[in-house]
Amino acid sequence: MRIGDLIKTAEKEGKEKHVPVIELVACPDCGEKVVKITVGKEVPHPNTIEHHIKWISLFGVKGELAVHIASFDLGPTYGVPTVVTHANLEGMSELIALEYCNIHGLWESSLTL
């Protein structure tokens, strides 16, 4: 088995509170575009010790290479699964977000730039 076989997506599992939503938004401080990732945008994800998002990672696609941009480690009860980061997106064709729910496993989504 490959780890890719274990990653869930909206296409495989349906849209729900685990699919990371990637958006490009304006930074309120500097006005530049930043990457915002929200897990549970339409239906909030619970954040309890028993059921929570542990981490979110962001990758860019540059040519045929996946480039790691950022990772965020979230606490089980008070970590809201929304993260924002400035990123150099020059030469990137796509963004990929990967997140881990301690009960429901790995989830992925992408945004074509």
Side-chain angles (χ1 to χ4, degrees):
M1 177 174 280
R2 299 178 55 180
I3 195 163
D5 298 332
L6 300 174
I7 297 174
K8 300 172 185 174
T9 64
E11 293 78 26
K12 286 187 199 176
E13 304 290 328
K15 271 191 121 172
E16 59 135 301
K17 63 187 170 206
H18 291 99
V19 177
V21 175
I22 307 168
E23 301 172 281
L24 294 178
V25 298
C27 173
D29 295 328
C30 69
E32 292 181 21
K33 280 190 179 180
V34 293
V35 180
K36 179 179 180 181
I37 304 168
T38 306
V39 178
K41 183 171 175 136
E42 293 178 21
V43 177
H45 189 280
N47 290 304
T48 64
I49 291 172
E50 296 81 20
H51 186 190
H52 59 274
I53 302 303
K54 178 61 182 147
W55 53 260
I56 300 171
S57 287
L58 176 65
F59 297 86
V61 177
K62 197 169 193 174
E64 297 293 317
L65 186 63
V67 179
H68 180 250
I69 296 173
S71 290
F72 306 89
D73 192 27
L74 305 171
T77 56
Y78 299 108
V80 177
T82 297
V83 297
V84 178
T85 188
H86 285 78
N88 179 354
L89 303 179
E90 187 175 327
M92 303 283 180
S93 60
E94 190 173 0
L95 294 174
I96 300 170
L98 188 64
E99 67 91 349
Y100 178 74
C101 171
N102 72 313
I103 292 178
H104 299 102
L106 292 167
W107 290 78
E108 173 186 85
S109 69
S110 63
L111 175 69
T112 302
L113 299 176

